[in-house]
Amino acid sequence: MSMHPAVAFIGTGVMGGAMAGHLLRAGHPLVVHTRTRGKAGPLLEAGAVWADSPGYAVRDADVVVTMVGYPADVEQVYLGAGGIIEQAKPGTLLIDMTTSTPSLASRIAEVAEARGLQALDAPVSGGDVGARNATLTIMAGGSRGAFDSALPLFKVMGTTFTHMGASGSGQHAKMANQIGIAGTMLGLIEALQYAKAARLELARTHEALSGGGANSWSWGAYGPRILSGDFAPGFYVKHFVKDLRIALDEAGAMGLALPGLELAESLYERLLEEEGAELGTQALWLLYERGGQG
Ligand code: NAP
């Protein structure tokens, strides 16, 4: 593969827009497609080329990166008629960075291999800030060879990269990550709710505890947004609920009871139904503010 393989990037939302921008600035020829064309605007102004469908986008690509929303979107762009698997040239490396299901990742890898393509599931952690600052953590499933080929691109978008094992294992690692985040989000919200009930000054409490054992990635990323009344995504509630449901399904299939995950999932379900799917995950604060957690 050349120093700067041609990249087709599908899905340029909160995460994908920033990640694709890094690839473009690093010198990769970039073709983009996303459902709502306006969301590719900054990339097109910076020199990316627009394609009208995922299939068109990937025809001359050496590497395809996808960052869409849900497993159904992943299935459509890869396996749909005229989609990526059908249109990519043999030898193309396919990297799905969406948070999706392990089983779909394995299915895509199998179909891709049968067509002479290589596929990785490579979901990310680090949030919108990590995407913007190119500090994402990337956990990948697939062959070691495919991982090694993807590494130069991963280094443009992130700082921590791990080959987890066979196809689907990147998604399993991401589910473990989301289970951890479910806990730290509840910890963040409940610690600040308690401080508020005890009439502590919230900004001071957040700052004081930032140096203590309650600190976490969620504490640092979302605490300040809660304090300033910023409930925009960040990370959409609708996507977190998707992730928590996948994690519960996978745990159930393995016969593993995770009561903390069940509690977080039920609270976020309530938030989604009662406050809105388009908010950021820190908006769980709003549910507690009106006593909706009880
Ligand atoms: P987002 O802003 O909704 O971005 C997804 C983009 O993909 C949207 O612009 C969407 O189009 C586009 N898309 C969806 N289906 C498509 C299709 N079939 N064909 C073409 N384009 C399609 O969401 P995001 O926050 O970037 O998250 C993307 C993925 O990363 C999700 O799986 C999420 O769970 C995961 N993730 C997010 C974060 C975070 O902090 N935001 C962190 C780690 C992982 P529309 O604009 O028309 O909806």
Side-chain angles (χ1 to χ4, degrees):
M1 221 182 273
S2 80
M3 266 275 286
H4 291 111
V7 175
F9 204 110
I10 318 297
T12 60
V14 172
M15 300 293 286
M19 293 157 70
H22 295 310
L23 293 172
L24 188 62
R25 279 187 296 280
H28 292 277
L30 187 72
V31 177
V32 294
H33 171 77
T34 198
R35 191 165 49 199
T36 305
R37 184 175 172 153
K39 294 199 184 168
L43 290 165
L44 300 179
E45 278 164 31
V49 173
W50 174 256
D52 277 331
S53 72
Y56 277 118
V58 306
R59 289 205 288 197
D60 296 319
D62 301 309
V63 182
V64 176
V65 182
T66 49
M67 192 53 162
V68 292
Y70 298 87
D73 300 318
V74 174
E75 186 167 5
Q76 186 196 345
V77 298
Y78 278 96
L79 302 171
I84 294 169
I85 302 253
E86 205 180 288
Q87 296 296 323
K89 61 186 189 212
T92 304
L93 172 62
L94 313 177
I95 311 173
D96 182 32
M97 304 189 84
T98 317
T99 306
S100 176
T101 63
S103 57
L104 179 57
S106 303
R107 183 146 66 91
I108 288 171
E110 248 174 59
V111 180
E113 205 173 305
R115 279 221 56 238
L117 309 161
Q118 291 184 288
L120 285 175
D121 47 297
V124 309
S125 182
D128 56 334
V129 179
R132 277 199 302 278
N133 296 343
T135 55
L136 291 171
T137 290
I138 301 172
M139 38 224 130
S143 75
R144 181 78 215 189
F147 178 80
D148 289 342
S149 302
L151 208 45
L153 279 87
F154 289 164
K155 287 182 176 168
V156 173
M157 298 184 278
T159 45
T160 307
F161 331 97
T162 309
H163 181 228
M164 301 305 306
S167 297
S169 59
Q171 296 296 352
H172 275 306
K174 174 68 183 180
M175 285 307 122
N177 184 76
Q178 298 310 79
I179 292 164
I181 288 181
T184 58
M185 288 306 292
L186 293 195
L188 163 69
I189 305 291
E190 294 200 354
L192 290 181
Q193 280 287 316
Y194 178 90
K196 187 178 172 200
R199 299 177 191 281
L200 296 179
E201 209 269 296
L202 282 191
R204 187 180 301 190
T205 307
H206 184 267
E207 198 184 332
L209 272 55
S210 293
N215 197 3
S216 66
W217 190 92
S218 298
W219 185 270
Y222 295 123
R225 297 190 203 190
I226 290 169
L227 294 178
S228 66
D230 172 8
F231 298 106
F235 183 33
Y236 286 105
V237 167
K238 62 185 179 183
H239 286 156
F240 198 34
V241 169
K242 172 247 316 171
D243 296 353
L244 299 181
R245 284 178 186 159
I246 296 173
L248 276 177
D249 284 350
E250 295 293 332
M254 295 185 283
L256 177 66
L258 296 176
L261 172 62
E262 278 175 33
L263 172 64
E265 197 269 343
S266 69
L267 289 168
Y268 271 99
E269 287 274 5
R270 214 177 293 170
L271 176 66
L272 183 139
E273 279 160 25
E274 295 174 18
E275 307 283 346
E278 304 295 323
L279 293 166
T281 49
Q282 70 277 22
L284 187 60
W285 175 259
L286 300 176
L287 188 75
Y288 279 71
E289 279 289 90
R290 60 168 186 72
Q293 80 278 21

